[in-house]
Amino acid sequence: MSEKCSLVFYTTPEGWLYSELAGLAWLEGRRSSRLGISRKDGIATLRLPAKVDGLPVYGLSMTFDKYDDADVLVIPEGVALIAGRAFALRRRLKRVEIPSTLREVAGDAFADTALPPARKRELYAIRMADPAEKEGL
């Protein structure tokens, strides 16, 4: 007999949506299209939180559907994974700042954005190291 695993979603008081697995948060999106956005000189910057409800944000899921107004995305330290199509179709997105902790970006995470093709290739090249490579085998 197999057990079903159900995913529970939470909302912070600020409006960030997330799920929790093994003490780590997967950021799912936000309730408001203005949450996390700052504007300066006509450029809209979205800064994602490093923690939600005290949990470190480990991954970014594929439900970021209210980010149409962001020109720049700032991903905080601690984030290791970006799921497929997480920011796809965000046609204004021209720049992404990534943390040193980022280990894997799904190949279509930034599909149909305004990111330059060379930058997309750099992002998609980020992959977790094979354990055998780590150990020099």
Side-chain angles (χ1 to χ4, degrees):
M1 189 158 77
S2 65
E3 285 185 36
K4 280 194 169 187
C5 178
S6 61
L7 194 56
V8 177
F9 294 94
Y10 303 93
T11 305
T12 68
E14 300 84 20
W16 292 104
L17 302 174
Y18 72 97
S19 57
E20 184 260 336
L21 180 64
L24 298 170
W26 279 83
L27 201 57
E28 303 286 343
R30 61 191 175 158
R31 290 253 185 236
S32 165
S33 62
R34 292 183 302 207
L35 185 63
I37 293 279
S38 62
R39 296 182 191 285
K40 184 176 180 183
D41 299 328
I43 296 173
T45 300
L46 172 64
R47 295 182 188 282
L48 300 179
K51 288 187 173 189
V52 287
D53 287 346
L55 297 171
V57 174
Y58 178 76
L60 305 177
S61 190
M62 57 182 163
T63 56
F64 286 88
D65 59 352
K66 294 182 180 169
Y67 288 91
D68 289 333
D69 52 349
D71 300 298
V72 177
L73 171 64
V74 179
I75 301 170
E77 285 297 318
V79 171
L81 304 171
I82 300 177
R85 305 200 57 79
F87 297 98
L89 302 174
R90 304 308 100 191
R91 290 189 167 86
R92 285 187 52 179
L93 188 61
K94 298 176 190 92
R95 193 173 89 219
V96 177
E97 295 178 16
I98 62 169
S100 63
T101 53
L102 192 59
R103 298 290 172 255
E104 186 159 355
V105 178
D108 58 353
F110 295 98
D112 299 314
T113 63
L115 287 171
R119 180 63 171 149
K120 285 182 189 178
R121 283 191 298 276
E122 288 173 5
L123 291 168
Y124 296 153
I126 297 172
R127 294 285 183 257
M128 285 186 191
D130 182 335
E133 287 177 23
K134 269 188 166 177
E135 296 174 17
L137 300 176

